[in-house]
Amino acid sequence: MTLTITEAICAAALDGVGLSRGEVEHLLGLDDFEDAEVLFAAAREQRRRYFGDAVFLYGFVYYSTYCRRSCAFCFYRAGNTLSPRYRKEAGEVVEICLSLAESGVNLLDLTLGEDPLLFDAGDFSSLIDVAGLVRRATSHPIMVSPGVLPRAVLAELRCLGVDFYALYQETHSRELFARLRLGQDFDERVRARQDAHELGLLVEDGILCGVGDRPPDRARSLLAIHDAGEQQVRAMTLVPQRQTPLARARLCSNWNERLVIAVMRLLMPDRLIPASLDVEGIEGLASRLNAGAN
Ligand code: SF4
């Protein structure tokens, strides 16, 4: 029996053969339902080998929605007058974390924009204080997702017992990055993740689909993430937001996101790959799990 190209690539990946850039691009460019099912089945098999069918749950606390940046895709970008702005008190953050922990989540994520109160002043003591309070209140793994942090602050967070640092590049194509993360330094973000690795933090990177990215862009991102050795890898799809430069972008289906999840699973079988539910809510969980997320 002759295997299709997709079947041959997936079979080799399941046998432990690394994927070439051309093979990654081929899988990321699939537009045929049957071919995609072959890929998704291989990704599920790979996930089963490393994680069984366990699903890890996250709890997010968005504790400051102020941001000095103007990312083209983000509702919280500086100057968006429609965005609600708040900074939660430390006590409220701890309370939310405790109730999330009780609800059964496996990881607590402290998320904030690049709040000028911290970033412009270069004073990260409030973030460090909150992380310390949460650390003392619960034994759950803690992630911080605050934007680009100085190495010294990452070191302090690690000393406190923070486990994960999430910093999404969104794309590893420099030209696309410049159009998405306006006025930001590509290499500074890469360096911050490298610093976090060196300090013993677990690191998450993520990419955004539906922003003009093509299979070669997505392949470049996945191979860069693979080479960096991130412990958690994520794909999301753009939801066009009002009062942002991408407000009129077309809302894409989750097709490319699911292909990315599946290829991530073949490339990085033992890594955590979240099913992001921002676009479809809980209804979007099954299709992402079926693509290899966990
Ligand atoms: Fe949004 Fe984060 Fe960019 Fe701020 S840095 S605009 S919160 S994506």
Side-chain angles (χ1 to χ4, degrees), residues 62 66-71 73-78 112-114 170 181 184 189:
Y62 216 117
Y66 289 90
C67 190
R68 63 178 181 165
R69 299 293 193 189
S70 295
C71 299
F73 53 88
C74 181
F75 190 57
Y76 296 124
R77 71 199 304 267
L112 61 155
E114 288 200 9
E170 314 301 354
R181 290 202 170 270
Q184 295 170 54
R189 287 183 93 78

Side-chain angles (χ1 to χ4, degrees), residues 273-293:
I273 303 178
S276 296
L277 305 182
D278 307 51
V279 180
E280 295 168 63
I282 197 70
E283 298 298 322
L285 182 57
S287 65
R288 288 168 176 80
L289 292 179
N290 282 334

Side-chain angles (χ1 to χ4, degrees), residues 93-253:
V93 174
V94 173
E95 251 177 60
I96 294 169
C97 285
L98 284 174
S99 88
L100 285 168
E102 270 173 36
S103 75
V105 303
N106 302 107
L107 180 127
L108 298 165
D109 185 4
L110 305 176
T111 301
L112 61 155
E114 288 200 9
D115 187 333
L117 210 60
L118 288 68
F119 283 82
D120 284 352
D123 176 3
F124 297 90
S125 52
S126 58
L127 171 64
I128 291 164
D129 290 347
V130 168
L133 287 170
V134 174
R135 178 68 299 155
R136 285 192 286 283
T138 165
S139 58
H140 272 54
I142 298 173
M143 172 182 275
V144 291
S145 314
V148 178
L149 289 179
R151 185 180 172 103
V153 178
L154 289 168
E156 233 174 306
L157 290 166
R158 181 67 196 125
C159 280
L160 279 175
V162 167
D163 304 278
F164 277 91
Y165 175 52
L167 188 70
Y168 306 156
Q169 200 75 11
E170 314 301 354
T171 174
H172 286 258
S173 153
R174 285 176 183 270
E175 180 268 330
L176 195 49
F177 178 94
R179 283 192 273 134
L180 293 176
R181 290 202 170 270
L182 307 178
Q184 295 170 54
D185 186 333
F186 183 100
D187 297 305
E188 190 185 41
R189 287 183 93 78
V190 174
R191 203 160 44 243
R193 286 190 301 273
Q194 283 169 351
D195 283 345
H197 273 297
E198 286 166 16
L199 292 162
L201 285 152
L202 303 168
V203 177
E204 178 179 15
D205 193 359
I207 71 165
L208 192 56
C209 302
V211 287
D213 47 302
R214 310 291 305 157
D217 299 310
R218 296 193 286 277
R220 184 179 298 118
S221 294
L222 265 54
L223 293 169
I225 291 172
H226 168 267
D227 291 349
E230 316 302 14
Q231 284 80 20
Q232 183 155 290
V233 293
R234 175 187 298 266
M236 296 173 76
T237 301
L238 174 76
V239 186
Q241 301 292 332
R242 288 179 296 158
Q243 265 196 35
T244 67
L246 295 179
R248 292 177 187 279
R250 191 167 59 89
L251 176 61
C252 299
S253 77

